[in-house]
Amino acid sequence: MIPYGRQDISSSDLETLKQVLLSDFLTQGPQVPLFESNICKATDASFAVAGNSATSMLHLACLALGVKEGDLVWTSPITFVASANCARYCGADVDFIDVDAHTANLSIDALAMKLVAAEKAGRLPKVIIPVHMAGHSCDMQALSELVRPYGIKIIEDAAHAIGGRYQGRPIGCCEYSDICVFSFHPVKIITTGEGGVATTNDPALAKTMASLRSHGISKLPQELTRPEEGDWYYEQDTLGFNYRMTDLQAGLGNSQIQRLQEFVKRRNELVQRYHLFLSALDIEFIRPSEQCLSAYHLFIIRLPKELDRKLVFNAMRAAGIGVHVHYIPVYLQPYYTGLGFNQGHCPEAESYYASCLTLPLYPTLTDSEQDYVIETLAAVLDKVKRDR
């Protein structure tokens, strides 16, 4: 089976993990702060806080920005459920902004209309979470210019996007946001096994997230009420979580990040081949805007609406090609329909979902494997059309 995505573990990665295993630290040692420093260098952000998953860091980002029960958070419906769940963990209400048909990112036009309606209704969100779908940056400048006058805070869900750029700057620099969150799940651009990082330029937000990821505990003498107790002494001053990243995970990340630009370059090369050899087929491509160099976590096509996507999906899987579908609109999940959401809430998102298909894309995908994907897709589409 050719999967839709997979990790690339090198001999250097293995050697780094061996060194960490033989060191004095498996959990909280020197690799974590080194990884945070490497993330800052890669993104031009002032601070980075590493955690055990992007979901955890989205949760902490919401908490750091004061999201609580009774607040409202907006996000995109075309994303993994964590983009909305993080606000629900805080007790906040969630709503969704429809997407752009070409990028599958949050629609700036839909956002503008929703802001006008929300202001009239007297219920504006505290936070908005734009999602850089497939590694394509949202139009962050336009988004920021719309929401900042209302005092709305911005968390970039960049789980797909490390190594990408927007307006020439690295995604994660937080030029137009308060916090940006990356994922290092195995199918992402680089991996730590599981793991996530939040970047920010605000020292107070960084300090809050760093505290919350470790039970709200501090050992810093200047932060203790009784520092004279002894070197063993610590204090918990808030209710935090065990969201820490281990040194093993960070060690792998420190090795992987050395190849970040190599990975992004190869992904973009493979995408160019897809465009070249699939352009004659009756399909559309989800593309980044001209302001964006995409990290291309996913390569997504849209099939003609008259074709039965399930037939195409099953035929590709039967041929040993692990196509996938990203994503089901979040508000159509049973948990969210239980909160009152229904079909028709975001029409463009539902239209996108009905036709989208993810093709394999990862740095070690060979040209011959990609050729097989291309040839198989062409044959499957032809057969499905003829059998219609």
Side-chain angles (χ1 to χ4, degrees), residues 280-299:
L281 300 184
D282 185 19
I283 58 175
E284 297 178 6
F285 304 116
I286 296 301
R287 300 175 183 264
S289 72
E290 293 181 356
Q291 300 182 83
C292 173
L293 169 67
S294 180
Y296 267 111
H297 163 50
L298 301 171
F299 181 73

Side-chain angles (χ1 to χ4, degrees), residues 116-181:
V116 171
E119 185 177 30
K120 287 181 179 178
R123 187 108 200 276
L124 286 160
K126 175 174 279 189
V127 169
I128 185 169
I129 306 177
V131 178
H132 300 322
M133 180 63 185
H136 314 337
S137 177
C138 294
D139 189 348
M140 292 304 301
Q141 181 178 2
L143 185 147
S144 176
E145 289 173 353
L146 277 175
V147 305
R148 289 301 191 195
Y150 296 98
I152 299 167
K153 301 297 185 181
I154 302 170
I155 300 170
E156 296 177 73
D157 183 340
H160 298 181
I162 193 165
R165 303 180 80 85
Y166 171 72
Q167 295 183 344
R169 294 200 65 194
I171 294 172
C173 69
C174 297
E175 181 176 1
Y176 299 110
S177 66
D178 298 281
I179 300 171
C180 181
V181 174

